[in-house]
Amino acid sequence: MLKIENLHATVADKPILKGLSLEINAGEIHAIMGPNGAGKSTLSYALGGRPGYEITDGSAQMDGADLLDMDPHKRAAAGLFLGFQYPVEIPGVSNIQFLREAANAQRKARGEEPYSGADFLKLAKEKAALLKMDMEMLKRSVNVGFSGGEKKRNEMVQMGILDPKLAILDETDSGLDIDALRIVGDGINSIMRAPDKAVLLITHYQRLLDYVQPDFVHVLADGRIVKTGGPELAKQLEDEGYAAIAEAA
């Protein structure tokens, strides 16, 4: 599904990723943990194609295609979804209209018929119910006036509607209370835990992994992966911190 080899990336001419390699197969959920400044968000933005994140070496392929050679909207149409640590507000833009336009743009790029109004409304209701989100919130401007937890739940509704192959979720647990964390975790499992999909979870804490159990946990330090293990590695990090593992690496 995703194969990253020796990836180097800079931001404002500062090296951040320094030879990162990672392979994620279909049907797998991987978690990346690490201290602040390790390069976790840089990895997500580089894969998503955000301007200002320059790839200086290495490669990234999704389903055998050169991901880094695609424009951001083509990466999305190919099945990549990027969940942001801080979802943006878009005043004056209807949430549900935004979601319909995004879904139909991707369907058009794949040569599929656009959703009719009735079909899309049915889909939106289904995904909103999955995240326990009131349909009235989908009629408001995108994320405007939403709490941190509501923004993350809205983003998961978006993920459900777009139905990606690969979801890269950058600190989706940030700003969530206990109830919202469980709802978002259940949503990720319902939408993305499938044999033809994959997830890369970027997180500081083990708590999200109580709900979305990963197949592999990776420790990212100084721009590269320094240790890989199973779910027990996340618990070890929670107990011991990153310093000992990073120093040993």
Side-chain angles (χ1 to χ4, degrees):
M1 178 72 76
L2 177 67
K3 186 174 183 179
I4 304 170
E5 293 185 310
N6 192 37
L7 193 66
H8 290 69
T10 64
V11 180
D13 295 325
K14 180 181 179 181
I16 304 294
L17 299 182
K18 305 172 184 177
L20 187 148
S21 296
L22 174 66
E23 188 164 353
I24 302 177
N25 297 313
E28 293 179 348
I29 294 179
H30 290 235
I32 285 188
M33 305 177 73
N36 288 328
K40 301 186 300 297
S41 291
T42 295
L43 174 62
S44 68
Y45 291 147
L47 294 175
R50 182 171 179 173
Y53 290 75
E54 183 183 358
I55 306 300
T56 56
D57 199 4
S59 64
Q61 295 183 331
M62 190 172 83
D63 285 341
D66 186 351
L67 190 65
L68 304 180
D69 195 42
M70 301 179 192
D71 292 333
H73 68 280
K74 291 185 179 179
R75 301 182 197 195
L80 177 67
F81 178 85
L82 176 58
F84 295 100
Q85 183 177 356
Y86 304 108
V88 299
E89 298 182 5
I90 311 178
V93 176
S94 163
N95 200 5
I96 197 162
Q97 188 62 32
F98 168 78
L99 293 172
R100 184 181 177 190
E101 291 293 334
N104 281 339
Q106 291 197 12
R107 291 176 69 84
K108 180 179 179 180
R110 296 192 292 261
E112 300 171 356
E113 289 296 315
Y115 287 117
S116 68
D119 286 344
F120 181 77
L121 190 59
K122 180 180 178 181
L123 176 65
K125 286 180 177 178
E126 174 190 327
K127 300 306 179 183
L130 191 65
L131 274 299
K132 294 181 169 52
M133 194 168 181
D134 194 312
M135 277 296 293
E136 289 301 313
M137 297 188 72
L138 293 186
K139 297 177 183 178
R140 294 162 53 180
S141 295
V142 179
N143 289 326
V144 175
F146 287 20
S147 68
E150 288 168 342
K151 288 179 179 179
K152 296 300 177 72
R153 284 159 60 193
N154 186 48
E155 194 166 51
M156 293 302 98
V157 171
Q158 180 183 352
M159 183 173 75
I161 288 172
L162 296 179
D163 193 29
K165 294 180 181 178
L166 172 65
I168 300 172
L169 305 178
D170 186 8
E171 296 197 31
T172 295
D173 52 344
S174 176
L176 299 183
D177 61 25
I178 294 172
D179 291 333
L181 185 67
R182 175 181 53 80
I183 292 168
V184 167
D186 289 346
I188 294 170
N189 286 324
S190 297
I191 296 165
M192 295 301 301
R193 195 176 287 278
D196 59 343
K197 298 179 182 293
V199 179
L200 179 59
L201 287 172
I202 297 171
T203 182
H204 272 302
Y205 305 108
Q206 192 269 334
R207 60 181 192 159
L208 177 61
L209 307 186
D210 287 337
Y211 299 97
V212 186
Q213 188 170 66
D215 298 286
F216 298 95
V217 174
H218 310 278
V219 180
L220 182 60
D222 194 30
R224 60 191 180 90
I225 291 174
V226 298
K227 188 175 180 66
T228 293
E232 71 282 353
L233 178 56
K235 291 182 170 60
Q236 180 186 348
L237 291 169
E238 192 84 0
D239 293 337
E240 301 176 6
Y242 299 112
I245 289 176
E247 287 173 7

